Amino acid sequence: MKFRTKTILGVALIELVLLGILTLNVISMLRDSNQEEATRKVKLTEALILAASESAIFSYDVATLQSLADSIIQTEELAYVRFWDNDYNILAESWLLSEQDASDFYLSSETLHKTIPIEVSGQTSGFAQFGIDQGYIASVLNRAINQTVSLALFEVILVAIFSAVLGVYLTRQLNSLTFASNKIRDGHLGFTLPVRGNDELADVVRSFNTMSTTLKKLEIKESQEKEQLEIAHQRMRSLLDNFPFLIWLKNTDGEFLSVNKAFAEACGKKDPLEVEGLTDFDVWPVDLANDYRLDDLKVITSSQGKVVEEKVESDGERTWIETFKSPVLHNNEVIGTVGFARDVSDRKHAAERQRKAEAIFNSASEAILLSDAYSKVKMINPAFTKITGYEESEIIGQNASMLSSGQHDKEFYRTMYAALETEGLWQGEVHNRKKNGELYVQWQTVVALKDGNGNVDEYLAIFSDITEKKEAEEEIKYRANYDQLTGLPNRTLLHELLRQELQHSRRESKKCAVMFLDLDHFKRINDTLGHAVGDLLLQTVSELLQETIRESDVVARLGGDEFIVILSDVDNATDISTVAEKIVSVLDTPLSIDDHEIRTCTSIGIAVYPDDAFEEGELLSHADMAMYKAKESGRGQYRFFNADMAKEIRSSRSIEIELRNAIENEDLAVAFQPIVSMGDKAILGFESLMRWPESANHNTSIEQSIRNAEEFGLIQPLFEVVFEKAAREFSRLPLRNDNPQLYFSINVSSHQIPERLSLEWIEERLRYYGLANENLVLELTEGIFLSDSPENLRWFKRARDKGIRIALDDFGTGYSSLAYLKRFTVDFLKIDRSFIADLDELGADYSLVKSVLALSDAFGLKVIAEGVETEKQASILAELGCKTAQGYYYGKPKIVTGSTSSHHKGGNSSVS
């Protein structure tokens, strides 16, 4: 049944029920009202009759009573009125009906008879009776009821019509609402209905429309919120998945509710969704899972987070892992845990590096300063305070320029910052000022630190106070470039100055000259008056030379008694000669030195650029050659270099090439000359002497070849070749089997000590041939004493500490001095053959040899006499107490090649 029918029937039923109830109530009310009206009328009639009939009854006024009865009977409800006396005699009566009808009415049950006594003065005078027609009253009531029922039927019809109209009206609106509701049910939120009228249904429609619109807005809002929530979820997922560490969310049972991609990959899963619903026991080893579960329970029960750092070792690698777990709360109740774990090895290592860096920063001996891009100081280390005197509180926030000494111009700093801008680094010396005002020099390295955009953000300066180092360097530089005795440029600086002068002469197309000076008789002065006077003489000569030449010219000391003068911008040989003559004249003048009148002179060799040579080496060599020619011409002379001298130089070059080839090809031989005991002529050792092989065609003597090797810088390789051959041949001598104390000696040039001749190399080669250090004696000339240096002294000491013995060769021909013998401890003194050749009892050589032998006894030294060629010489030496000798008398030098015999006078010994 449709709603419309239900509505009509329902409304009609309700109306009918209400109408029936109303009709019944009306009928009941009409009956009650009719009854009440009848009762009222009875009482009224009674009152009227009593009031009107009292006197008439009392007086028996029949006419009055009849008139009263007639007047009363006019009421439709009354059928009759009758008055009686006490004897029931009818005094008057009046009927509304006919007699017959009155008789029927009187006897009818529908007639209500009412008798009332009439009292006068308390006494009953008669009675009055009247009859009420209840049928009439009932007919009136029936008429009223019929009218009511008719009206009710009419109302039923109206109600039916109204119900139908109302049903149509209501169902039409409700159908629209039903249609709209179905639309909403189907998802068409926001659907609205047209509003008709202004009644409650219209309000319902309006409310429905508002509800639909609101639902649509809520749908849109919900959609937007879902979209935003999805975006937020994707962002959160992207954020979590791009974290470089593991992230998870668990419930209180330990089940994973959500994890990030890194966690899933760590579990061996491709998708984080694969981990959801699992527990630690599903993805980790049991021991780890147990630990993780215990940690979760601690977090859940304590409602507090937990941070753990632990070392994990895998495949021999140690990794630091930091794990953080925190409770998830809802209404103050723990509903789960959230956590993350990350590899903090880099952080731990960085912290360790930072700790070490801070330790280095604080303990570094170099000062460290960090400033911003505007040079405002941000940080310093303790060394900075130690060097500059500025405390941290005094320098932080200040500009680093407060250290400036004012000794650098703006261009200096522009260059510095330009290098920092382009290269990011600058190094150099900076002169700054300390807090106390003291100037100092610092070696500074500045690094430009840039930000991510490549802009300079900070400057890091590291520097050290090199003031003392600079002073020491200046001193070293001075010592390296200047002669300590005279203050003149030394050999090293001379070459640089000459190189500069040659560059100047080439550039200006001018000439310059090099003078090579050698003092005459200087050795004699040094030996007779002592080195102190000799040193004073050299100082005086240097001063005189500087006074003689121009300021633009240069005076340098090569060493010993040799000086170089560089004359710049000379025009001709006459100008050069003038200067040379002036120098010769000045130095030929007697000099007063330390209360001694000393006469000396000089020999000068001159070479001119570009006439004689183009390079400094050639000029010096040519000037040296010219100086020797001046000496050959007589002392106190000067000579210019010429072509003949050039031929000699070319010959010298040929000799150098010949010598180099001989060294490279080992085209050298070694001859052994025996050193014997003069008493029993037993061989104690052999002196190794360099010889040219018999097959070689050499025109240069051995002595000259050795001097050439020293001059050409070949003495060390020459020594090594000779040493190798000597050690090899000595190791093969059968004589060594019977005499393990047998030794061989070899000559060493002063040019080799101390830098070139390595004692370690000597030891290594001796061991190679099965020889001991004690089997070797190194022979040195007195020229070694010219370089009275700590290095030489240390070399001597190291050699003797190693068991290598030292012999002083050609003693008496050079710089013999007791002081030197005391400082440079040697084992043997070898008296030069020049003192042995003319030895007799009355000669000076005899006295000299005797003195040497006495001196050696005093110092505990052994003496070897060289060049003993006759029996007389041997006899004299024996008388003087000499115990060891060598020379042709005992045996000539013999080249040793595998097996060679050597015989000496007074006995036979084979040397092979």
Side-chain angles (χ1 to χ4, degrees), residues 406-648:
Q407 295 191 4
H408 299 291
D409 56 16
K410 293 182 179 179
E411 183 60 28
F412 175 84
Y413 292 104
R414 275 197 295 268
T415 302
M416 177 192 296
Y417 282 102
L420 289 171
E421 183 67 27
T422 57
E423 301 176 14
L425 176 71
W426 181 88
Q427 284 185 320
E429 290 183 6
V430 180
H431 293 259
N432 274 342
R433 190 181 302 275
K434 297 182 180 181
K435 180 182 177 181
N436 60 8
E438 178 185 345
L439 293 176
Y440 71 101
V441 183
Q442 65 186 42
W443 177 260
Q444 179 167 287
T445 299
V446 184
V447 180
L449 306 178
K450 298 183 178 182
D451 58 18
N453 298 321
N455 300 318
V456 175
D457 186 45
E458 294 175 318
Y459 292 108
L460 178 67
I462 303 174
F463 63 86
S464 56
D465 186 349
I466 61 170
T467 306
E468 294 182 0
K469 181 181 177 182
K470 285 289 293 181
E471 293 173 351
E473 285 179 353
E474 291 297 327
E475 178 66 20
I476 293 172
K477 184 177 179 182
Y478 180 82
R479 289 177 177 273
N481 292 286
Y482 290 90
D483 178 61
Q484 300 302 299
L485 179 63
T486 64
L488 296 176
N490 61 10
R491 184 187 297 270
T492 302
L493 184 56
L494 166 66
H495 283 281
E496 179 62 28
L497 294 174
L498 181 54
R499 191 176 300 113
Q500 293 176 9
E501 181 58 36
L502 292 176
Q503 290 175 352
H504 168 74
S505 297
R506 293 189 190 100
R507 189 169 54 250
E508 300 297 330
S509 299
K510 291 191 175 184
K511 294 183 177 183
C512 67
V514 173
M515 291 183 172
F516 200 117
L517 286 70
D518 182 85
L519 294 181
D520 297 327
H521 313 302
F522 178 75
K523 181 179 180 302
R524 178 176 54 80
I525 295 169
N526 213 27
D527 290 342
T528 56
L529 299 179
H531 290 287
V533 174
D535 290 345
L536 291 174
L537 174 60
L538 293 173
Q539 291 173 345
T540 303
V541 169
S542 67
E543 293 172 0
L544 291 173
L545 290 174
Q546 292 180 88
E547 293 172 359
T548 303
I549 63 175
R550 300 169 298 178
E551 290 186 2
S552 60
D553 299 331
V554 173
V555 180
R557 182 188 177 203
L558 282 182
D561 58 353
E562 295 178 338
F563 293 87
I564 296 293
V565 175
I566 303 174
L567 301 179
S568 63
D569 297 340
V570 294
D571 295 326
N572 50 58
T574 303
D575 295 338
I576 301 171
S577 297
T578 300
V579 176
E581 292 171 356
K582 187 185 294 185
I583 291 174
V584 170
S585 175
V586 167
L587 296 183
D588 192 45
T589 303
L591 303 174
S592 177
I593 298 175
D594 196 24
D595 297 331
H596 298 282
E597 184 178 286
I598 299 175
R599 295 185 66 90
T600 186
C601 59
T602 184
S603 299
I604 304 175
I606 303 170
V608 180
Y609 168 86
D611 299 344
D612 301 325
F614 293 94
E615 301 298 333
E616 66 268 15
E618 287 185 308
L619 278 172
L620 288 171
S621 178
H622 292 179
D624 185 24
M625 181 67 71
M627 184 270 293
Y628 278 107
K629 290 299 180 183
K631 278 187 177 293
E632 292 175 0
S633 301
R635 309 282 180 172
Q637 301 291 324
Y638 68 88
R639 290 288 183 272
F640 284 91
F641 179 80
N642 56 41
D644 293 336
M645 298 177 191
K647 291 180 182 179
E648 294 182 11

Side-chain angles (χ1 to χ4, degrees), residues 165-194:
V165 173
L166 179 61
V168 171
Y169 173 75
L170 286 177
T171 53
R172 185 175 62 181
Q173 293 283 39
L174 290 176
N175 285 338
S176 298
L177 288 174
T178 300
F179 177 77
S181 298
N182 291 333
K183 283 285 188 181
I184 292 175
R185 181 196 63 193
D186 296 336
H188 300 285
L189 298 179
F191 184 82
T192 58
L193 296 171

Side-chain angles (χ1 to χ4, degrees), residues 138-159:
S139 65
V140 172
L141 177 60
N142 288 333
R143 284 195 304 274
I145 289 172
N146 291 334
Q147 292 175 353
T148 299
V149 171
S150 298
L151 181 61
L153 291 175
F154 179 73
E155 288 178 354
V156 168
I157 294 171
L158 289 178
V159 165

Side-chain angles (χ1 to χ4, degrees), residues 160-436:
I161 295 172
F162 172 76
S163 296
V165 173
L166 179 61
V168 171
Y169 173 75
L170 286 177
T171 53
R172 185 175 62 181
Q173 293 283 39
L174 290 176
N175 285 338
S176 298
L177 288 174
T178 300
F179 177 77
S181 298
N182 291 333
K183 283 285 188 181
I184 292 175
R185 181 196 63 193
D186 296 336
H188 300 285
L189 298 179
F191 184 82
T192 58
L193 296 171
V195 180
R196 297 182 179 89
N198 199 28
D199 55 9
E200 288 81 356
L201 282 176
D203 291 340
V204 171
V205 173
R206 288 191 190 94
S207 298
F208 178 86
N209 289 342
T210 302
M211 178 191 70
S212 180
T213 304
T214 302
L215 288 175
K216 183 63 177 178
K217 291 179 180 179
L218 290 175
E219 180 190 39
I220 295 173
K221 183 178 179 181
E222 181 183 14
S223 176
Q224 291 174 343
E225 287 177 350
K226 284 183 178 179
E227 183 178 358
Q228 292 174 354
L229 185 61
E230 182 63 24
I231 293 173
H233 176 73
Q234 291 299 328
R235 288 175 178 171
M236 181 62 68
R237 172 56 62 187
S238 299
L239 179 64
L240 295 179
D241 285 345
N242 284 282
F243 269 117
F245 40 82
L246 284 60
I247 303 175
W248 65 89
L249 176 67
K250 300 179 186 177
N251 59 21
T252 54
D253 294 328
E255 295 176 341
F256 290 105
L257 302 178
S258 180
V259 299
N260 70 340
K261 188 175 181 180
F263 189 97
E265 291 175 349
C267 297
K269 308 293 184 181
K270 294 182 179 179
D271 192 338
L273 296 177
E274 296 180 49
V275 184
E276 294 180 7
L278 303 179
T279 67
D280 288 317
F281 293 94
D282 299 319
V283 296
W284 305 120
V286 176
D287 54 345
L288 287 178
N290 281 323
D291 293 340
Y292 295 159
R293 184 54 183 162
L294 289 175
D295 289 341
D296 289 344
L297 293 175
K298 290 179 181 178
V299 171
I300 293 171
T301 55
S302 65
S303 298
Q304 293 181 350
K306 184 176 183 180
V307 180
V308 177
E309 281 188 359
E310 56 188 348
K311 287 185 292 186
V312 177
E313 292 193 7
S314 177
D315 298 330
E317 294 185 1
R318 179 178 295 176
T319 304
W320 280 92
I321 302 296
E322 179 187 57
T323 303
F324 174 83
K325 293 186 177 182
S326 179
V328 179
L329 301 176
H330 180 69
N331 295 330
N332 294 325
E333 181 182 354
V334 178
I335 62 173
T337 60
V338 65
F340 67 82
R342 57 183 175 179
D343 185 343
V344 294
S345 299
D346 291 342
R347 189 187 73 188
K348 296 287 286 186
H349 296 157
E352 181 64 16
R353 290 194 297 270
Q354 177 68 17
R355 184 188 65 80
K356 292 179 179 178
E358 290 178 357
I360 294 172
F361 181 82
N362 292 322
S363 62
S365 59
E366 293 85 2
I368 302 175
L369 177 148
L370 182 68
S371 73
D372 61 16
Y374 303 99
S375 298
K376 185 176 290 186
V377 180
K378 299 171 66 176
M379 184 185 299
I380 63 171
N381 70 336
F384 180 93
T385 301
K386 183 178 180 181
I387 292 175
T388 67
Y390 285 102
E391 298 290 342
E392 190 175 40
S393 59
E394 297 173 313
I395 194 72
I396 298 299
Q398 301 296 322
N399 196 287
S401 61
M402 68 184 295
L403 298 173
S404 175
S405 64
Q407 295 191 4
H408 299 291
D409 56 16
K410 293 182 179 179
E411 183 60 28
F412 175 84
Y413 292 104
R414 275 197 295 268
T415 302
M416 177 192 296
Y417 282 102
L420 289 171
E421 183 67 27
T422 57
E423 301 176 14
L425 176 71
W426 181 88
Q427 284 185 320
E429 290 183 6
V430 180
H431 293 259
N432 274 342
R433 190 181 302 275
K434 297 182 180 181
K435 180 182 177 181
N436 60 8

Side-chain angles (χ1 to χ4, degrees), residues 48-49 52 62-76 78-83 91-97 129-130:
L48 179 62
I49 292 173
V62 175
T64 302
L65 290 172
Q66 187 63 46
S67 175
L68 177 61
D70 291 337
S71 62
I72 292 171
I73 202 63
Q74 297 299 318
T75 305
E76 293 181 353
L78 294 177
Y80 70 95
V81 177
R82 179 182 290 166
F83 292 102
L91 299 178
E93 63 179 347
S94 178
W95 288 87
L96 183 61
L97 303 173
Q129 186 183 34
F130 57 87

Side-chain angles (χ1 to χ4, degrees), residues 818-833:
L818 296 178
Y820 285 142
L821 289 177
K822 182 179 180 181
R823 293 187 61 198
F824 294 87
T825 305
V826 297
D827 299 279
F828 300 95
L829 291 181
K830 299 189 75 172
I831 301 174
D832 188 67
R833 67 181 62 251

